[in-house]
Amino acid sequence: MKTERLNFFWKVVVAISTVIGVCLSINMLFYIHLFGINPIQNAYLIYLLGCFMPISFLIFPAKKTQTSVKWYDVVFFAVSVIITVYLGLQGKRIIEEGWDWNAPTIPTYFSIVLWALLLEALRRTAGLVLALICLVISLYPLVASNVPISLLQGQSYDFLTLARNHILSSNSVFGIAYTTIGNLLLGFLVFGVVITRTGGGDFFFKLALSLFGRTRGGSAKVAVVGSAFFGMLSGSAVSNAVTIGAMTIPAMKKAGYKPYYAAAIEATASTGGTITPPIMGSAAFIMASFLATPYYHIALAAAVPAFLYFFGLFIQIDGYAARNNLKGLPKSEVPPFWKTLKDGWHFIFALFIMVAFLGFLNSEGQAPYLASIALILLTMIKKETRMNKKQYFDMVLEIGKVLADIVVIIAGVGFIVGALSATGVSFSLSRELVAAAGNNTFLILIGGALTSFILGMGMTVSAVYVFLAVIMAPALITVGVDPIAAHLYVVYWATVSYITPPVALAAFATASIAGASPMKTGFQSVQLGSVKFIVPFFMIYNPAILIGRGEPFETVLSIVLSILGIFMIASSIEGYLLGAGALKIVERLLLFAGGLLMFFMNLYLLIIGLVILGLIYLFKIKVSLNVNKEKGQEV
């Protein structure tokens, strides 16, 4: 944990700042008016930055080799606190007097300093690449009118006006993406830490073990299901891969999986956590704000594509286990299902509370806090699950680290949105993209996929999504694509780089645990995660697979056919068809093509796909009968 470099004093500072930030959020979302405090929206958002950006200088070192807090970390911490508190106190004046265009001297120069501090905090949390991208684009409005490329030309600003616009307006740092943190995302991140710190990660892993441990290739299936559970709580592909991989990868290797294959399974499964409801990655919450739609609509729409992703992975590892005759875990290593459920029922209950408040009571911002409180109270009932003071303190520190990370990243990415919006380039880029593609949806999709993948190598999923949500998603919507499908398409492709060389952070992380070749693990991850390359296109061309985006009968039929299609595609990729055995190359190609046809709501194409599947089964059964007959004659 990053807080290891902090001594006790600085840990207390981080804990106090975290508690203040969370209390501010609760006070705002529950309308409590705690201690008579009731800041207006822009002041509230500035105060949140003042709680979590300063502690990022304490938690995240300027250099990886630093093992203690340096004097300049303290200076950055103090200056950022002073500036954000000052600006927060001036929240009403910022709006009433239009400080985003013409502010007094002190807030103007404070804006410049906060701009620089935020970029430094971004470098520490998200890396140099994203910080440089945000720096360059944040300065772009200075020269926008002089850019020789007409597509990139826009309104220019002088430096001081630009600084005020970035920090004091509601279009840049404190724009729609950052507003999502204060109004929605913060509580879900807190819940994710609470449920994992109270033992939820271990419970869901044991639950997966009890369900699938004894099946064929059970250790790999446990890795898939366990990582899906843990990933939807943490929302982080790499931390998921490292945390769960430490348990699953040795078990898979022991069961007979090759090291690179075991590492690839865990990397692919962990990456799926960022697209799995009910708690997806931060991009999904920002999406809800961009689309001005309740978050549970996003979660419902994302449910089937996420299931298809894990289903495809499940079919492949089952086929691998069948071809290599890999058995399940012995009964002694598999915990009883009912005992596991009895010991951890409160985790499921907490999730149920959150889903109930999300879906039925329309309390999106409040739901995760209520679920967190319920879970903490439930853990106090039994002595075995009760936490001590140190565990609570460590949990608060972890919350501070997680929130400092995401607050800084989303605030920093705001520079991109602010610069593109202020210059007017975001609208022209979207319009020109449609014109360049000749209104061809497929060409826009290919361009967006490549852009998302390339940007994903150096930027977080949230950063890639925010960037493309203001450029590519509107272009897709212009040519008639369903809005939620268009935005989910961007999110899916932004996560692809986690398992795709040359970067493949999740794959490389698990490769180090398995002692396997990073590149070999990466390419195996691409095969196992191939569904992630396919499903986004079918969300576009058949949005009925997204729950709530079509008529009920059409949605049900689309889901059934898409499951069948993924079954065929995954079977062809692995070279093994359940109930038919190993496949030859021609059979695999035919089955793959037939699987693709299942996603198009065209009767003739569906019949062709079903005929292909039926003929392959008949052919394999006939071959099997002939082989058995020949064996019988030999006997």
Side-chain angles (χ1 to χ4, degrees):
M1 193 167 80
K2 297 283 185 181
T3 52
E4 288 174 356
R5 85 186 195 107
L6 305 180
N7 59 30
F8 181 72
F9 173 78
W10 290 119
K11 285 182 178 179
V12 171
V13 170
V14 169
I16 291 173
S17 190
T18 300
V19 170
I20 292 173
V22 172
C23 286
L24 271 172
S25 175
I26 293 173
N27 181 63
M28 193 76 174
L29 295 173
F30 287 85
Y31 315 106
I32 297 175
H33 296 187
L34 193 64
F35 303 118
I37 298 173
N38 183 33
I40 61 174
Q41 177 75 0
N42 72 324
Y44 161 65
L45 295 176
I46 293 171
Y47 286 141
L48 276 186
L49 188 68
C51 288
F52 297 110
M53 189 187 88
I55 63 175
S56 70
F57 295 116
L58 305 177
I59 298 171
F60 301 92
K63 297 178 182 178
K64 292 182 179 180
T65 54
Q66 291 176 353
T67 57
S68 62
V69 175
K70 303 298 182 182
W71 65 267
Y72 46 82
D73 297 327
V74 179
V75 171
F76 291 164
F77 169 84
V79 173
S80 54
V81 168
I82 292 169
I83 292 176
T84 50
V85 170
Y86 170 82
L87 293 179
L89 291 172
Q90 308 301 320
K92 193 174 181 181
R93 290 186 65 191
I94 291 173
I95 295 175
E96 291 179 346
E97 299 176 18
W99 281 11
D100 51 336
W101 292 103
N102 188 20
T105 303
I106 291 177
T108 296
Y109 285 109
F110 272 4
S111 297
I112 297 171
V113 176
L114 192 60
W115 183 356
L117 286 172
L118 183 52
L119 287 171
E120 167 59 13
L122 184 63
R123 183 190 69 81
R124 295 185 182 207
T125 56
L128 181 62
V129 174
L130 180 56
L132 287 175
I133 291 172
C134 290
L135 170 62
V136 171
I137 297 180
S138 69
L139 293 170
Y140 167 68
L142 296 175
V143 297
S145 61
N146 299 318
V147 174
I149 304 172
S150 60
L151 179 64
L152 299 176
Q153 287 181 353
Q155 174 70 41
S156 284
Y157 296 85
D158 64 83
F159 183 72
L160 294 181
T161 301
L162 181 60
R164 289 190 289 262
N165 203 265
H166 275 317
I167 303 300
L168 302 176
S169 76
S170 59
N171 300 318
S172 190
V173 169
F174 299 105
I176 190 169
Y178 184 83
T179 302
T180 305
I181 293 179
N183 295 345
L184 185 61
L185 179 55
L186 212 70
F188 285 90
L189 294 172
V190 169
F191 177 73
V193 175
V194 169
I195 198 171
T196 51
R197 280 281 173 173
T198 52
D202 291 336
F203 163 70
F204 285 114
F205 178 77
K206 288 180 181 178
L207 186 64
L209 192 61
S210 67
L211 289 170
F212 300 101
R214 299 188 66 189
T215 62
R216 179 170 63 192
S219 57
K221 293 173 182 176
V222 170
V224 173
V225 178
S227 295
F229 279 135
F230 190 82
M232 73 182 182
L233 301 176
S234 71
S236 172
V238 178
S239 66
N240 187 10
V242 173
T243 304
I244 299 296
M247 295 182 283
T248 59
I249 291 174
M252 285 188 278
K253 289 171 65 177
K254 183 180 177 182
Y257 285 92
K258 294 178 181 178
Y260 74 91
Y261 200 94
I265 290 172
E266 183 54 52
T268 310
S270 297
T271 302
T274 58
I275 56 170
T276 307
I279 308 175
M280 304 164 67
S282 55
F285 294 91
I286 301 171
M287 186 192 310
S289 294
F290 267 118
L291 293 171
T293 189
Y295 170 71
Y296 74 88
H297 286 176
I298 305 294
L300 279 175
V304 173
F307 171 78
L308 294 177
Y309 176 79
F310 284 107
F311 180 66
L313 176 58
F314 205 86
I315 293 298
Q316 287 185 76
I317 61 175
D318 181 71
Y320 181 92
R323 287 194 297 107
N324 293 277
N325 196 30
L326 301 181
K327 307 297 182 183
L329 297 169
K331 185 177 181 180
S332 59
E333 296 182 18
V334 178
F337 172 74
W338 290 111
K339 183 180 184 304
T340 302
L341 199 61
K342 181 183 176 182
D343 292 340
W345 65 270
H346 51 286
F347 296 111
I348 295 178
F349 183 71
L351 281 174
F352 173 79
I353 289 176
M354 190 176 68
V355 171
F357 274 95
L358 277 176
F360 304 112
L361 300 179
N362 198 24
S363 303
E364 293 185 317
Q366 300 173 355
Y369 283 122
L370 293 171
S372 298
I373 293 169
L375 184 55
I376 290 173
L377 292 175
L378 288 170
T379 58
M380 291 180 178
I381 296 174
K382 294 173 64 177
K383 186 177 180 181
E384 296 80 11
T385 58
R386 200 174 300 151
M387 296 170 65
N388 57 38
K389 292 179 181 178
K390 185 181 183 305
Q391 288 173 317
Y392 280 119
F393 184 69
D394 289 341
M395 182 172 72
V396 173
L397 291 179
E398 179 67 15
I399 290 172
K401 183 255 176 185
V402 170
L403 296 185
D405 188 26
I406 195 67
V407 164
V408 168
I409 289 174
I410 299 303
V413 170
F415 285 125
I416 297 175
V417 179
L420 295 178
S421 299
T423 56
V425 169
S426 59
F427 305 105
S428 61
L429 276 175
S430 176
R431 184 178 63 251
E432 293 298 327
L433 181 61
V434 174
N439 288 331
N440 188 308
T441 304
F442 185 73
L443 290 179
I444 298 176
L445 291 174
I446 294 297
L450 292 173
T451 305
S452 297
F453 172 67
I454 293 170
L455 291 176
M457 293 181 185
M459 298 168 65
T460 64
V461 174
S462 300
V464 175
Y465 169 71
V466 170
F467 181 69
L468 292 179
V470 297
I471 295 175
M472 198 196 81
L476 288 172
I477 295 170
T478 300
V479 294
V481 172
D482 179 89
I484 289 183
H487 284 257
L488 278 176
Y489 179 87
V490 173
V491 172
Y492 264 69
W493 276 99
T495 62
V496 160
S497 61
Y498 280 125
I499 58 171
T500 308
V503 179
L505 292 177
F508 291 174
T510 55
S512 65
I513 297 173
S517 164
M519 292 304 290
K520 196 171 185 179
T521 300
F523 286 114
Q524 184 62 56
S525 299
V526 171
Q527 177 188 318
L528 291 171
S530 54
V531 171
K532 185 174 278 191
F533 299 88
I534 298 170
V535 168
F537 285 95
F538 293 110
M539 289 191 296
I540 300 295
Y541 288 105
N542 185 16
I545 67 171
L546 308 178
I547 297 175
R549 310 311 294 172
E551 296 298 324
F553 176 76
E554 183 186 16
T555 296
V556 171
L557 180 61
S558 297
I559 292 172
V560 171
L561 293 173
S562 63
I563 292 172
L564 184 58
I566 290 298
F567 170 74
M568 295 167 68
I569 291 170
S571 300
S572 69
I573 291 171
E574 187 54 48
Y576 184 90
L577 182 61
L578 185 66
L583 299 171
K584 296 180 179 179
I585 186 64
V586 175
E587 296 167 339
R588 293 172 69 175
L589 291 173
L590 286 172
L591 194 62
F592 187 88
L596 293 179
L597 297 179
M598 291 293 102
F599 285 89
F600 296 97
M601 296 300 287
N602 180 292
L603 181 61
Y604 297 107
L605 295 178
L606 293 175
I607 290 174
I608 293 172
L610 291 172
V611 167
I612 290 173
L613 178 62
L615 288 176
I616 290 176
Y617 264 115
L618 288 173
F619 176 75
K620 300 301 289 186
I621 291 172
K622 183 178 179 181
V623 170
S624 179
L625 289 173
N626 289 337
V627 170
N628 291 334
K629 185 177 180 181
E630 290 174 3
K631 286 182 178 179
Q633 289 175 348
E634 288 176 2
V635 172

